[in-house]
Amino acid sequence: RSDRCPSVNSRVCSCHFIDGLKENNPTIFSWNKEKTFLFVSPEKRNKRKPKPISKTLVANKEVLPDELDENTSEVASQSDIEIESQMNLYESTKHSEENSVLHLNVKSVGSIIDESENALLKIEIERLNSTINSLKKQPFSFAFIEDNDEAITYYTGMPNKTVIHVLFDIFKNVSINYFLRWNVERISRTDQIFMTLMKLRHNFDFTDLGVRFGCSRTTVTNIVLTWIHAFHTIIFKTFMNSVPSQQKNKACLPSVFNNFVNCRMILDCTEIYTAIPSKMELQKLTYSNYKHRNTLKGLVGIAPNGVLTFCSLLYPGSTSDKEIVKHSGVIDVFNSGDLILADKGFLINDLLPEGVSLNIPPFLGAPQFTPNQVMKTLTIARARVHVERAINRIKGYSILEFITPKLVPYASIIFQV
């Protein structure tokens, strides 16, 4: 302690001795090493060096041998305490310096890590800003709905992500000549196909699609007309250039066709509303007595399993079913032994090749049908319902609900696509 000097009567607690043994010499608690202070011996305060203790007098008094031993041990104890204090102070100072250096090194490493993280964050911020800017320029994209099969079906009519990606892969490396003779590069090819499918499915206005995809109306027109022609050239002409044979149809024949095992195709016509032409002659040609409106008429043929196998061009609404069959070329695909199912309006027996038969519902020649005629009508109707369902799937694309005057020149291509 700094306020008092040890004396002969001073005592040190046994806790300061290692293992409580006196011969181990006193030491300082480890938790008090940082709190040590220098003890200045009273002897060092004197400028004169102390005389060596021997048989001399201390304070004009002769020192007895016993007292000399006690004084000698007292001075030795004070020296040991002083040396111990100096050593503890040195170790404490050294430990503090090491901690300072270590703290400095840790701080330097931490600052380097912070700088690296800041650099990475800046790069990420720049990337996100670039993405945001691109999204601002193009508010809508296929990437927004790519993982949502329900949204894909709603916007495009495709059943799921896998099917539409097959379509993307078909046109991945195809060279495209744009309809208006200038290329569209700012919108990706995937989004161009997606835009065209949206037009076919929902018949969105060109201006609407321009706002959705961040481009002009003219650009949308260029994209849609280009890809409609591309679909027609690559998909329709490639996959619809042949009709499944009778043997293939038998491999997947539904039970309702048990009475028509030789059926090759089911035929039916459908009509699509169109704008009233400006010319009187065209008004007369497109007017349908069945729909009582101006329409365009097309022929559809399906296999017994419901797969669409034939699709004709569109003809004026006043054209008869027989004339459409004659000019569409569908008769050329049939072989001897094939059977055609059709509606009453298809009076085409004189057009059929030799060996090809036609099965249509009977006409009412009496006040009422006979039981056999009723059963025949029901049997044919159960089989013919498949073509009606196929036509409903085709008309599920809203662009075929009404053909605008600007799209009339491309109506047949749209219908076949």
Side-chain angles (χ1 to χ4, degrees):
R1 293 175 56 178
S2 61
D3 57 343
R4 60 179 296 182
C5 296
S7 65
V8 177
N9 297 322
S10 298
R11 297 291 184 270
V12 179
C13 178
S14 62
C15 295
H16 289 278
F17 292 85
I18 299 175
D19 297 330
L21 301 177
K22 186 176 180 180
E23 56 269 17
N24 290 335
N25 294 327
T27 184
I28 300 175
F29 292 121
S30 59
W31 55 83
N32 283 332
K33 286 184 178 181
E34 302 295 333
K35 302 178 182 179
T36 58
F37 49 84
L38 293 177
F39 173 74
V40 181
S41 176
E43 287 78 7
K44 289 190 176 182
R45 294 178 184 174
N46 298 327
K47 294 182 180 180
R48 291 179 297 180
K49 294 182 179 180
K51 295 180 180 180
I53 300 175
S54 60
K55 293 181 180 180
T56 58
L57 295 176
V58 178
N60 298 324
K61 184 178 179 181
E62 186 176 356
V63 180
L64 299 176
D66 294 338
E67 189 176 354
L68 180 62
D69 293 338
E70 291 178 359
N71 291 335
T72 303
S73 63
E74 181 179 348
V75 172
S77 299
Q78 291 176 358
S79 300
D80 292 340
I81 293 173
E82 182 179 353
I83 293 171
E84 184 73 20
S85 300
Q86 292 289 348
M87 291 296 294
N88 291 335
L89 178 62
Y90 172 75
E91 291 179 358
S92 176
T93 305
K94 183 178 179 182
H95 182 68
S96 299
E97 291 177 354
E98 291 177 353
N99 287 340
S100 299
V101 174
L102 181 61
H103 179 70
L104 181 61
N105 292 335
V106 171
K107 186 176 180 181
S108 301
V109 173
S111 62
I112 293 173
I113 294 174
D114 291 340
E115 291 176 359
S116 301
E117 290 179 350
N118 290 337
L120 293 175
L121 290 174
K122 287 180 180 179
I123 295 173
E124 182 67 14
I125 290 171
E126 291 177 358
R127 186 187 67 81
L128 293 175
N129 287 333
S130 177
T131 304
I132 291 172
N133 292 332
S134 63
L135 292 177
K136 286 181 179 179
K137 294 179 181 178
Q138 184 176 326
F140 196 59
S141 173
F142 176 72
F144 295 167
I145 65 166
E146 185 173 6
D147 297 324
N148 189 340
D149 288 344
E150 184 178 356
I152 290 174
T153 303
Y154 172 76
Y155 282 108
T156 67
M158 300 294 174
N160 51 50
K161 175 182 177 180
T162 304
V163 175
I164 197 170
H165 273 286
V166 171
L167 181 64
F168 293 154
D169 292 338
I170 291 174
F171 293 96
K172 186 176 182 180
N173 298 318
V174 175
S175 179
I176 299 295
N177 295 321
Y178 282 86
F179 188 77
L180 298 182
R181 298 184 180 181
W182 48 269
N183 296 338
V184 179
E185 298 179 352
R186 194 176 66 81
I187 300 176
S188 66
R189 178 167 290 194
T190 297
D191 283 336
Q192 291 182 34
I193 296 174
F194 179 49
M195 180 193 297
T196 306
L197 293 175
M198 288 177 61
K199 176 64 177 178
L200 295 174
R201 183 66 173 176
H202 291 285
N203 198 23
F204 292 125
D205 188 78
F206 290 118
T207 302
D208 184 5
L209 291 173
V211 173
R212 290 173 185 262
F213 288 88
C215 59
S216 66
R217 179 187 177 92
T218 306
T219 302
V220 175
T221 304
N222 189 21
I223 292 173
V224 171
L225 293 181
T226 297
W227 285 102
I228 285 177
H229 283 81
F231 291 163
H232 184 265
T233 301
I234 296 176
I235 296 180
F236 178 79
K237 291 184 177 180
T238 301
F239 297 101
M240 298 287 288
N241 60 352
S242 62
V243 177
S245 64
Q246 187 181 134
Q247 287 72 25
K248 287 185 178 180
N249 290 338
K250 288 181 179 180
C252 52
L253 197 69
S255 59
V256 294
F257 286 87
N258 290 336
N259 296 325
F260 311 105
V261 292
N262 295 331
C263 181
R264 180 83 180 278
M265 188 181 294
I266 310 165
L267 296 177
D268 198 6
C269 283
T270 184
E271 297 187 54
I272 301 170
Y273 297 133
T274 185
I276 300 175
S278 58
K279 295 182 179 181
M280 186 64 66
E281 183 180 355
L282 294 178
Q283 290 182 21
K284 180 181 178 181
L285 289 174
T286 57
Y287 186 80
S288 171
N289 291 323
Y290 179 68
K291 294 289 185 178
H292 303 290
R293 288 184 61 176
N294 295 86
T295 63
L296 298 174
K297 196 172 184 179
L299 177 66
V300 174
I302 67 166
N305 61 357
V307 176
L308 187 68
T309 57
F310 183 83
C311 188
S312 73
L313 300 174
L314 289 179
Y315 297 87
S318 61
T319 309
S320 66
D321 296 343
K322 183 176 181 178
E323 286 297 317
I324 293 177
V325 170
K326 181 179 179 180
H327 289 88
S328 65
V330 66
I331 298 298
D332 299 334
V333 304
F334 296 106
N335 301 318
S336 178
D338 291 339
L339 172 66
I340 301 173
L341 292 181
D343 199 6
K344 292 180 180 180
F346 287 83
L347 304 176
I348 56 174
N349 284 302
D350 57 327
L351 301 177
L352 298 178
E354 185 178 355
V356 178
S357 58
L358 174 68
N359 200 332
I360 61 175
F363 287 92
L364 183 62
Q368 63 181 12
F369 286 118
T370 64
N372 290 335
Q373 290 177 328
V374 172
M375 290 302 299
K376 183 178 180 180
T377 302
L378 290 175
T379 304
I380 295 174
R382 288 172 183 171
R384 282 193 64 259
V385 72
H386 287 73
V387 72
E388 300 291 346
R389 292 170 180 168
I391 291 173
N392 285 335
R393 290 198 301 270
I394 294 173
K395 289 191 173 181
Y397 288 82
S398 299
I399 197 170
L400 296 177
E401 291 179 357
F402 183 84
I403 302 296
T404 60
K406 291 184 178 180
L407 292 179
V408 168
Y410 321 108
S412 293
I413 295 176
I414 294 172
F415 179 66
Q416 291 178 336
V417 167

